[in-house]
């Protein structure tokens, strides 16, 4: 699955190409890719044709495009009733790609949905959803008011609206409206282990297994640390570390372990991560090595996956919670 930085790379890439453009025509080439749209292909197409893509918004790993009725103004100059009510939701899954292509580029082998956009100088005409393994998909959903009145997520022109499917998840560490106070209050109330809390999308969204391990390593905290014993400064440290790891990945153009993942322009994502913990079982801890200490990263079973820690600089707590 793409991690948050990869989805953010897609958002940034996509928004410059599609924002403010009208969707003139939609071809659904494989119904399986719109299976989450309960009302079927006819309704899916009917909702999209003639709509203007107002923006591309992301919260956690959720990505959506709010849609404006073309008769109600444009994205840059919405008319009085030009507030978007619905959005096109995109789940990339394991292998989903959003590509901008010129009309004369032959169809990709796994092309599932094609959008023909209103022409614009120097911009490709088509947005294509390509998905080899069909775990991803597209559907139209309602926009609902955010529960805190803040923006729905990261966007070019933020509105206090959020795609219904994303309304239950907390803000992610890259969201300017993220409230540390709220996060810390909720964290202290959870009687759980720190990594389990970091992976809890209701507490903070967008942190997957890899980024959790890296954030814990950077902040020198063990994954089993009971959250109700976490001091404010420690919580700030681990959250700041999660943000830093994500920003580093973003600066590198997004990262992914999945060779099927490509970014919105079709170029391969950045693969060579500088990981310190994740996937480094049995290898020396970089920080300890720099201090002349011999310590090997260890791997523990955790929630059907793995956790990677340095036994020296991330000591296991007493009464740890897994
Ligand atoms: Zn270490």
């Amino acid at each position: 699955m793409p991690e948050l930085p990869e989805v953010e790379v897609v958002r940034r890439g996509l928004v410059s190409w599609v924002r403010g453009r009208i969707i003139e025509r939609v071809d659904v080439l494989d119904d399986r890719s719109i299976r989450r749209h309960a009302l079927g292909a006819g309704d899916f197409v009917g909702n999209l044709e003639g709509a203007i893509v107002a923006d591309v918004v992301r919260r956690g790993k959720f990505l959506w495009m709010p849609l404006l009725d073309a008769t109600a103004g444009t994205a840059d100059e919405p008319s009085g009733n030009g507030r978007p009510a619905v959005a096109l939701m995109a789940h990339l899954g394991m292998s989903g790609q959003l590509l901008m292509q010129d009309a004369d580029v032959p169809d990709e082998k796994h092309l599932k949905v094609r959008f023909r956009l209103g022409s614009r100088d120097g911009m490709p005409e088509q947005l294509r959803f390509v998905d080899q393994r069909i775990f991803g998909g597209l559907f139209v959903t309602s926009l609902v008011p955010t529960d805190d009145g803040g923006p729905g997520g990261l966007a070019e022109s933020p509105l206090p609206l959020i795609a219904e499917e994303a309304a239950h998840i907390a803000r992610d560490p890259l969201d300017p409206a993220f409230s540390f106070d709220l996060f810390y209050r909720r964290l202290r109330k959870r009687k759980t282990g720190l990594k389990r809390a970091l992976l809890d999308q209701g507490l903070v969204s967008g942190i997957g297994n890899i980024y959790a391990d890296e954030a814990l390593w950077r902040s020198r905290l063990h994954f089993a640390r009971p959250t109700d014993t976490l001091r404010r400064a420690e919580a700030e440290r681990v959250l700041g570390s999660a943000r830093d790891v994500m920003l580093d990945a973003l600066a590198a153009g997004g990262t992914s372990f999945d060779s099927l993942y490509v970014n919105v322009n079709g170029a391969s994502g950045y693969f060579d991560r500088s990981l310190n913990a994740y996937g480094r079982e049995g290898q020396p801890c970089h920080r300890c090595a720099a201090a002349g200490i011999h310590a090997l990263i260890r791997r523990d079973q955790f929630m059907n996956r793995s956790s990677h820690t340095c036994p020296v600089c991330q000591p296991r707590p007493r009464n740890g919670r897994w």
Side-chain angles (χ1 to χ4, degrees):
M1 294 292 275
E3 297 272 357
L4 185 151
E6 282 92 55
V7 183
E8 177 58 16
V9 167
V10 171
R11 191 194 71 80
R12 290 181 185 181
L14 198 57
V15 74
S16 56
W17 296 112
V18 302
R19 185 165 175 256
R21 291 175 79 179
I22 188 166
I23 300 171
E24 290 182 339
R25 186 189 156 128
V26 181
D27 299 310
V28 177
L29 307 174
D30 188 336
D31 280 347
R32 289 175 298 176
S33 289
I34 61 155
R35 66 190 176 283
R36 290 186 184 89
H37 190 87
L39 296 175
D43 186 77
F44 178 79
V45 171
N47 267 288
L48 293 167
E49 286 185 349
I52 289 170
V53 181
D55 208 338
V56 185
V57 187
R58 181 194 57 72
R59 180 186 288 204
K61 298 178 196 177
F62 285 89
L63 186 78
W64 66 91
M65 294 171 236
L67 302 170
L68 283 167
D69 187 339
T71 58
T74 67
D76 291 319
E77 288 179 44
S79 65
N81 56 351
R83 210 170 151 91
V86 296
L88 172 62
M89 194 96 187
H91 275 304
L92 299 176
M94 297 293 285
S95 56
Q97 305 166 16
L98 288 162
L99 306 173
M100 295 301 302
Q101 295 284 37
D102 287 318
D104 57 2
V105 174
D107 286 358
E108 290 75 12
K109 189 175 172 198
H110 301 287
L111 178 62
K112 303 299 181 188
V113 184
R114 183 195 356 249
F115 301 88
R116 199 180 73 201
L117 305 176
S119 62
R120 238 183 222 186
D121 279 356
M123 289 203 179
E125 184 195 65
Q126 297 187 0
L127 169 65
R128 297 179 181 180
F129 181 68
V130 177
D131 193 5
Q132 182 181 337
R133 295 193 236 166
I134 326 190
F135 291 134
L138 305 174
F139 58 94
V140 177
T141 187
S142 301
L143 289 168
V144 297
T146 53
D147 56 9
D148 59 4
L154 228 61
E156 301 309 299
S157 46
L159 294 170
L161 298 170
I162 187 163
E164 212 169 6
E165 280 70 22
H168 66 287
I169 68 166
R171 294 183 181 278
D172 62 69
L174 297 188
D175 190 328
F178 183 92
S179 163
F180 177 80
D181 287 340
L182 180 64
F183 167 75
Y184 186 59
R185 238 180 5 251
R186 288 178 172 170
L187 184 73
R188 288 291 304 247
K189 277 190 207 147
R190 297 271 211 287
K191 302 258 183 262
T192 186
L194 181 52
K195 182 168 172 181
R196 203 175 272 271
L198 292 176
L199 297 176
D200 181 345
Q201 304 294 301
L203 207 56
V204 52
S205 65
I207 302 180
N209 201 39
I210 301 168
Y211 287 94
D213 278 5
E214 292 299 308
L216 289 164
W217 183 89
R218 284 198 191 201
S219 53
R220 299 172 187 243
L221 292 167
H222 192 273
F223 63 86
R225 175 71 180 272
T227 51
D228 50 340
T229 70
L230 211 64
R231 292 189 298 274
R232 192 182 168 88
E234 291 173 317
E236 275 173 354
R237 208 161 80 214
V238 72
L239 206 76
S241 297
R243 187 178 294 121
D244 290 346
V245 182
M246 287 176 178
L247 289 174
D248 286 355
L250 259 182
T255 57
S256 177
F257 288 122
D258 191 336
S259 61
L260 287 166
Y261 170 78
V262 293
N263 72 23
V264 69
N265 294 313
S268 251
Y270 173 81
F271 288 89
D272 185 21
R273 297 164 184 260
S274 41
L275 296 174
N276 286 300
Y278 186 83
R280 295 196 66 246
E281 182 186 10
Q283 297 178 52
C285 167
H286 292 141
R287 183 167 45 217
C288 287
I293 301 163
H294 181 69
L296 302 178
I297 299 290
R298 61 172 284 152
R299 181 169 67 89
D300 291 290
Q301 285 297 315
F302 180 83
M303 290 173 79
N304 296 321
R305 287 182 285 184
S306 314
S307 266
H308 302 80
T309 48
C310 170
V312 174
C313 56
Q314 297 171 271
R316 193 164 151 178
R318 283 189 304 270
N319 309 318
R321 288 204 190 93
W322 296 46

